[in-house]
Amino acid sequence: MNPLTGETFAQVLVNWQKQHGRQTLPWQHTGDAYKVWLSEVMLQQTQVRTVLAYYARFLQAYPTVSDLAAAPEQDVMQLWAGLGYYTRARNLHACAKQVVARFGGQFPRTVAELESLPGIGQSTAGAIASLAYGVQAPILDGNVKRVFCRYYGIEGYPEQTAIKKSLWDIAEANVPKEQPGVYNQALMDLGATCCMPRNPACSACPVMHTCVALRKGTVGLWPTPKPKKARPELHFISLLLEDARGALLLEPQTEKGVWQGLWAMPFKACSSQADLADLSRIATAWIEQFGLQALSTEIEQQLAGLPDQPWLVHELTHRKMHFKVLLVKVPGVWPGCHAVGDKPVPKIVHKLLDQVRVLAQGSVPQQNTLDLG
Ligand code: SF4
């Protein structure tokens, strides 16, 4: 409700749409459900500017839904080529066939019947019903979600079930009995011309006096972006086996993953709580595998200090890796050792090597993790 005029949100928008909204888009003011549906499907993931040319070509090729239904799918796909998201084109064709087969070539009028057709969700059904038939049906596409989140001050990612439900409740409560099509068009126009994702034109917005986000100064923060997934934290024990030349034991990484195709030191996943017994089991396997029996006393001494060694932390975009390092120096030239510069190695190899050398010089830090940057 506008405190200055006493008008409802819907009344303000309807009046604004008539004066300032978009009036010349070719699918407006037609009352033709086929044209409204075609434009709505094309606009689902594509900008108006791009849609205009495709829309005109489609209507020229298929002036009615029956023409579209009768066309070979290959021709429809060909005409759609370049618009992307080709599932839309397949659904478009399937929908046209069903409109002909189930509804005699006339798009149904109710949201429930419209939603039963391929590629038509609740918001598209609401748009067709309200814009073509004047049915009091709400819409809630991405633009409208943004407007509602800001105007009503809804925090939380709009695709979360509870938030989405609140937004649908708002959409249903607001859609007026009179001129629902003009109101829904106003919402779309507001999202496209005032309440844009970036740099919204709030000073030109018809509901600026009652907008929660504008009052709170949080326009740029809403809608709440998609929450980032927590990065998994992975823990490893690694073997830095260095021979007399300073060459390092490196193994080709053949398994699918971030290091596939590179070479890296032997490493094994372990628990963040790994104790001496756990680490010893892994080290024993390495002693066997790499023929290090003659060095087992030295390795056991190293192992004893490992539980107290800080985790060396390596951060990647999608994961955070923590390493404990078993540094073993072997005499002479050792099989499987390569100069680090001779092989493609991930950055972590250099970092671990540098850091372990620092630690080996006795400057063990107090904290129990060490960020490798
Ligand atoms: S005042 Fe700004 S943020 Fe609020 S609804 Fe209008 S354009 Fe969107």
Side-chain angles (χ1 to χ4, degrees), residues 146-147 150-151 190 194-196 200-203 205-209 211-214 219:
R146 183 172 63 254
V147 171
R150 288 174 175 168
Y151 181 77
L190 191 70
C194 284
C195 202
M196 293 90 78
C202 296
S203 58
C205 175
V207 289
M208 62 176 288
H209 297 295
C211 173
V212 174
L214 190 60
V219 174

Side-chain angles (χ1 to χ4, degrees), residues 32-70:
D32 184 337
Y34 171 59
K35 292 179 178 171
V36 174
W37 162 74
L38 188 60
S39 69
E40 282 295 319
V41 174
M42 287 185 167
L43 287 166
Q44 276 166 8
Q45 272 116 347
T46 312
Q47 295 195 333
V48 171
R49 212 169 350 121
T50 312
V51 164
L52 286 170
Y54 281 87
Y55 176 81
R57 281 201 291 274
F58 252 83
L59 272 191
Q60 200 175 13
Y62 312 119
T64 67
V65 69
S66 304
D67 296 322
L68 178 57

Side-chain angles (χ1 to χ4, degrees), residues 248-314:
L248 215 58
L249 180 62
L250 295 171
E251 299 180 305
Q253 304 299 299
T254 51
E255 284 191 18
K256 210 173 166 203
V258 280
W259 292 347
Q260 189 177 17
L262 302 178
W263 289 62
M265 67 284 163
F267 60 98
K268 273 255 179 276
C270 64
S271 149
S272 61
Q273 307 297 325
D275 61 13
L276 186 55
D278 300 324
L279 299 175
S280 293
R281 266 193 294 280
I282 297 171
T284 304
W286 280 337
I287 289 171
E288 287 286 317
Q289 185 181 351
F290 301 117
L292 299 169
Q293 289 82 354
L295 293 163
S296 47
T297 309
E298 192 186 309
I299 291 173
E300 271 170 29
Q301 280 172 0
Q302 269 264 348
L303 269 175
L306 220 50
D308 296 328
Q309 189 190 80
W311 288 101
L312 305 178
V313 183
H314 181 58

Side-chain angles (χ1 to χ4, degrees), residues 171-183:
E172 273 163 18
N174 274 337
V175 65
K177 204 168 175 188
E178 302 295 325
Q179 309 184 79
V182 180
Y183 165 75

